[in-house]
DNA sequence: GCAATGACTGGTA
DNA sequence: TTACCAGCCATTG
């Protein structure tokens, strides 16, 4: 796994770049980003976020079922509330059908 | 080179 | 709906 203290690889920088492009109120899954880049897989994206995700809107990158990253659920929920991200009623998960960002829809 | 690990995913019960 | 399982793949020791 990549370590936070090591320098981000080119792949890591591409991942972080995509995350920064995700508009507020929208999210992408780890698998979505991997597919969008056309390299690596969900695990690799997760490894990048774990190591260097602190410098980007990490709460906009979640699991395919809408669950925020483990250990950061509360923080993520605070951001969702601030950005009006659609949440599934009665849960702490994002409504992926509504909030999923294709990567092609521009914020406007 | 090999075995273990991890902010994952989709299928099945 | 939640829980468990096999597959996935680069990084780490």
């Amino acid at each position: 796994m990549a370590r936070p203290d090591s320098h981000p690889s080119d792949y890591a920088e591409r991942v972080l770049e995509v995350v920064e492009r995700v508009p507020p109120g929208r999210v992408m899954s780890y698998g979505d980003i991997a597919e969008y880049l056309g390299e690596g897989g969900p695990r690799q994206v997760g490894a990048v976020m774990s190591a260097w995700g602190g410098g980007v809107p990490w709460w906009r990158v979640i699991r395919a079922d809408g669950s925020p990253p483990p250990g950061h659920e509360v923080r993520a929920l605070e951001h969702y509330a601030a950005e009006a991200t659609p949440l599934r009623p009665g849960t702490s998960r994002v409504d992926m059908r509504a909030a999923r960002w294709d990567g092609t829809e521009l914020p406007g």
Side-chain angles (χ1 to χ4, degrees), chain A residues 34-94:
Chain A
E35 190 175 351
Y36 179 85
L37 290 174
E39 33 185 337
R43 311 303 297 268
Q44 280 56 253
V45 175
V48 171
M49 294 306 292
S50 179
W52 306 289
V56 298
W58 52 262
W59 56 92
R60 293 174 195 161
V61 185
I62 60 182
R63 288 171 50 155
D65 67 349
S67 301
H72 294 276
E73 294 89 347
V74 179
R75 289 292 189 194
L77 289 175
E78 292 177 359
H79 285 289
Y80 298 151
E83 298 181 357
T85 304
L87 296 178
R88 300 189 60 186
T91 76
S92 57
R93 283 185 279 172
V94 173

Side-chain angles (χ1 to χ4, degrees), chain A residues 4 15 17-18 22 30 38 40-41 44-46 57 72 80 82 97 103 105 107:
Chain A
V15 171
E17 197 174 293
V18 173
V22 178
Y30 299 93
Q44 280 56 253
V45 175
H72 294 276
Y80 298 151
R97 293 189 302 178
E105 302 176 32

Side-chain angles (χ1 to χ4, degrees), chain A residues 1-13 16 48 51-52:
Chain A
M1 302 302 153
R3 293 161 306 169
D5 57 298
S6 64
H7 188 75
S9 63
D10 289 343
Y11 175 68
E13 291 189 2
L16 298 175
V48 171
W52 306 289

